[in-house]
Amino acid sequence: MDVAPDPGPDGDWTAPGVYEVRPGVHRMPLPLPNDGLRAVNIYALAAADGLILVDSGWAIRAAREALDTALAALGHTLSDVRRFLVTHVHRDHYTQAIYVRREFGTSVSLGAGDRGSLDNRHDAFSRAAE
């Protein structure tokens, strides 16, 4: 897989690949399961010590494989990701970050406004486990 210029608003934004948006900023569409959108965009930002990813994709095998392939096209692996900046708490934006954090210890940051959403999910999972 090669890095390609972003196809812009008239192109297929769901096509797998790595698209340069600006120097040091790359868009990587990752697949979604059973979703009308078909993909979610995540972004890789070059940092001095590795990469910062904006969002992470849904924690499914196809998304993980697509992310691994996209990062390889940039000359990186998931171990080079220093931080996830998660825009909001939806499965397609943060769940893969949690699995990567478990595997590599990668930092995951969310906005303070998502605290209530996380608390609600934690409470629901706790009740389900009882």
Side-chain angles (χ1 to χ4, degrees):
M1 175 182 299
D2 293 321
V3 176
D6 198 281
D10 296 328
D12 179 5
W13 68 272
T14 66
V18 180
Y19 303 96
E20 186 175 49
V21 177
R22 297 275 187 272
V25 179
H26 293 86
R27 181 177 66 83
M28 301 175 288
L30 300 181
L32 296 175
N34 306 318
D35 193 278
L37 289 176
R38 298 189 342 251
V40 62
N41 286 314
I42 70 165
Y43 294 85
L45 311 173
D49 62 343
L51 296 173
I52 298 170
L53 296 187
V54 178
D55 290 331
S56 67
W58 197 315
I60 59 172
R61 182 184 312 265
R64 174 64 182 261
E65 290 170 356
L67 179 57
D68 287 340
T69 300
L71 291 174
L74 294 174
H76 289 280
T77 67
L78 275 170
S79 66
D80 297 321
V81 176
R82 300 294 171 242
R83 171 172 295 223
F84 285 96
L85 301 176
V86 177
T87 58
H88 60 284
V89 182
H90 282 170
R91 290 180 286 199
D92 59 329
H93 291 266
Y94 88 98
T95 57
Q96 189 157 229
I98 301 307
Y99 283 91
V100 173
R101 180 181 70 193
R102 290 176 185 159
E103 189 174 345
F104 295 102
T106 309
S107 174
V108 178
S109 299
L110 294 116
D114 279 310
R115 179 64 185 208
S117 296
L118 288 175
D119 289 343
N120 288 340
R121 288 176 194 266
H122 177 70
D123 291 345
F125 288 129
S126 295
R127 284 191 303 275
E130 293 175 346

